[in-house]
Amino acid sequence: KILPGKKVLVVDDNNLNLQFAAQILKRWLVQPTLARSGAEAIQAFGETSDFDMILLDIHMPEMNGFETFEALKKMGLR
């Protein structure tokens, strides 16, 4: 009863991982937003920062999970 209706941003450069996470979250009645890079995650967060949770892949090209997290914190992530 805790999860239904929650919004989760899932960030991973691997499409299979994104689809797997989306399927599981949808079964739990969670609303997933998928991002394939740190840049896409920043864009999604800029459009709506009301995510209840963010799941970040640490090993992504160009901008890894730690760099993405730091950028999101500067945008107001709490």
Side-chain angles (χ1 to χ4, degrees):
K1 293 187 178 189
I2 301 170
L3 295 176
K6 298 294 183 183
K7 297 177 183 176
V8 177
L9 175 60
V10 183
V11 187
D12 197 315
D13 61 317
N14 183 304
N15 285 331
L16 183 61
N17 291 345
L18 284 175
Q19 295 309 313
F20 181 70
Q23 286 180 349
I24 291 172
L25 292 170
K26 286 178 183 176
R27 282 189 205 151
W28 294 340
L29 304 177
V30 172
Q31 299 173 23
T33 297
L34 307 180
R36 288 167 180 74
S37 67
E40 280 188 28
I42 290 167
Q43 180 179 352
F45 189 81
E47 292 170 5
T48 176
S49 60
D50 66 343
F51 293 105
D52 298 295
M53 182 185 305
I54 299 175
L55 301 175
L56 279 169
D57 178 14
I58 297 301
H59 302 288
M60 294 185 292
E62 297 175 26
M63 180 183 284
N64 67 36
F66 294 112
E67 294 165 331
T68 302
F69 178 73
E70 289 301 321
L72 293 172
K73 279 183 10 182
K74 289 179 184 175
M75 294 176 67
L77 177 66
R78 304 180 278 140

